[in-house]
Structures are given as C-alpha cells and as structure tokens.
Amino acid sequence: MASRHLARTVAMQSLFEWDFNGRKEELKKIIATNLGEFASDIKEPEFVYGLAEGVAENLPAIDLVIAKTAPDWPVDQIPDVDRSVLRLGIYELQFQKQAPPKVVINEAVELAKTFGGEQSGKFVNGVLGTLYKQMQAAGEITEEKK
C-alpha cells in the first residue's frame, strides 16, 4: 500500500473512532495507537496527524459543506464511515489544498469502497464531485494539467 494511501487510511480510521466514541478521547492518542497498530513503518506520520487534526479543527465548516453538497442527507444520518471519509476528503480539497483534487477524490472513493457499504463509493464520489465543481465555478480550482 502506498505511503500516502496508508496515511489517509489511518487518518480516516482515527477520525471514525474518535467520532464513533463521541469525540471523548484525545484524537492524538487515537492516531498514535492506530499508527502503531496499522502503520508503524509509515514514512510520514506527520501527514496522518495533519490530516486528522485538520479535520477536527475545521469540523463545523466541513460539516456545513456536507450539508450543502448532500442536502438530502443530514450529516448525523450519514453512515459513520462515509461521514469520516467525506470529512477527510473535504478537508483535503477545500482546506489543505496540497494534493491534486482528482487524487483526493479518487483516494476518498477508494476508502469508501474499502470500508463503507455497497453504495459508499458512489455517494462519496457524488458529494466530492459536487464540491469540486462548485470550487471550479468559484475559481478556487483551475483545470489540472494533463
């Protein structure tokens, strides 16, 4: 598994666990445990921390994006895995802006397919695709070089 994909996987799993347990446990502890258990040899642990903590710091704004891009799905009714994947993808697309948008969307779809339900990949792709188009229309994303 590629290092960045593994990092995103650990970040998503950590966010899922943190959210599932009512956000009571310190997120850094969850990340450290998951890194030790699933990715002890990862080359960029700071990338995992940056992703997960970035989502946590921007959670209200990220959930507002979910509400706007998936209006038929109240945030608290989205399956936990899908919600965690969406939060991670939205953070990378709209807040972090380091990876190319299509890479972010593809990674999120793969995480949703791996950990979510039968329709999770399509749902995540639809929501992030909508956000991508909105960001393009607003001039926040320009056409990527081929």
Side-chain angles (χ1 to χ4, degrees):
M1 187 180 295
S3 182
R4 287 281 169 122
H5 181 72
L6 179 59
R8 287 181 177 96
T9 301
V10 173
M12 187 280 298
Q13 290 172 320
S14 299
L15 288 165
F16 170 85
E17 182 178 339
W18 178 65
D19 195 41
F20 186 81
N21 291 315
R23 303 182 204 146
K24 294 176 184 163
E25 190 176 343
E26 187 180 337
L27 183 56
K28 282 184 181 184
K29 280 183 174 180
I30 295 170
I31 297 166
T33 300
N34 288 337
L35 277 170
E37 190 169 329
F38 303 114
S40 59
D41 61 344
I42 198 164
K43 292 177 177 38
E44 298 177 278
E46 65 279 355
F47 183 65
V48 178
Y49 284 97
L51 289 175
E53 291 174 340
V55 169
E57 290 166 10
N58 293 283
L59 195 57
I62 291 169
D63 283 354
L64 185 59
V65 171
I66 294 172
K68 289 179 179 178
T69 53
D72 294 337
W73 286 90
V75 175
D76 62 340
Q77 291 181 14
I78 294 172
D80 295 341
V81 169
D82 295 0
R83 188 173 52 242
S84 295
V85 171
L86 281 174
R87 286 173 171 165
L88 184 61
I90 291 167
Y91 172 71
E92 280 199 85
L93 266 179
Q94 197 164 41
F95 295 86
Q96 190 183 47
K97 298 181 181 180
Q98 288 180 356
K102 290 182 181 177
V103 169
V104 171
I105 293 169
N106 287 339
E107 286 282 321
V109 169
E110 287 305 312
L111 287 171
K113 286 179 180 179
T114 301
F115 297 100
E118 191 174 310
Q119 297 298 314
S120 294
K122 289 179 183 180
F123 177 67
V124 167
N125 189 51
V127 173
L128 294 181
T130 298
L131 176 59
Y132 175 78
K133 288 175 188 169
Q134 289 173 353
M135 291 175 71
Q136 268 189 319
E140 297 174 43
I141 294 177
T142 55
E143 212 40 52
E144 295 177 40
K145 296 178 184 173
K146 294 185 179 188

